[in-house]
């Protein structure tokens, strides 16, 4: 299952899954370098940042913002 970090609320991370449903998890179980909008994969009982998908999503959002404001 893939997730996107929607936001942090104190010690809780709010994740959005592929079905647009939200899940609250302790921030402490995520990788230390996790940031809002990172894409995560849950494998072998732990969350891992999907670097490639995160990069692609950020580029896509940046392109949309450029189109919107230019």
């Amino acid at each position: 299952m893939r997730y996107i970090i929607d936001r942090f609320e104190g010690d809780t991370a709010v994740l959005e899954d592929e079905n647009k449903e939200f899940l609250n998890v302790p921030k402490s179980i995520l990788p230390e370098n996790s940031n809002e909008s990172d894409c995560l994969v849950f494998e072998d009982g732990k969350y891992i940042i999907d670097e490639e998908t995160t990069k692609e999503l950020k580029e896509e959002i940046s392109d949309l913002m450029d189109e919107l404001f230019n």
Side-chain angles (χ1 to χ4, degrees), residues 23-36:
L23 172 68
N24 294 331
V25 299
K27 189 176 177 180
S28 62
I29 67 170
L30 300 181
E32 284 186 27
N33 59 337
S34 296
N35 295 301
E36 291 176 354

Side-chain angles (χ1 to χ4, degrees), residues 4 7-10 15 17-18 23 26 28-29 32-33 44-48 50-51 53-54 56 61-64 68:
I4 294 178
R7 65 187 177 278
F8 295 114
E9 296 179 348
L15 309 181
D17 69 17
E18 298 165 318
L23 172 68
S28 62
I29 67 170
E32 284 186 27
N33 59 337
D44 300 324
K46 63 182 180 178
Y47 291 95
I48 301 166
D50 182 337
E51 301 284 347
T53 302
T54 297
E56 290 171 4
I61 290 169
S62 179
D63 291 345
L64 289 171
L68 183 64

Side-chain angles (χ1 to χ4, degrees), residues 54-70:
T54 297
K55 180 182 174 189
E56 290 171 4
L57 289 173
K58 288 182 180 183
E59 287 174 0
E60 185 179 318
I61 290 169
S62 179
D63 291 345
L64 289 171
M65 296 294 286
D66 286 346
E67 287 179 26
L68 183 64
F69 293 110
N70 290 324

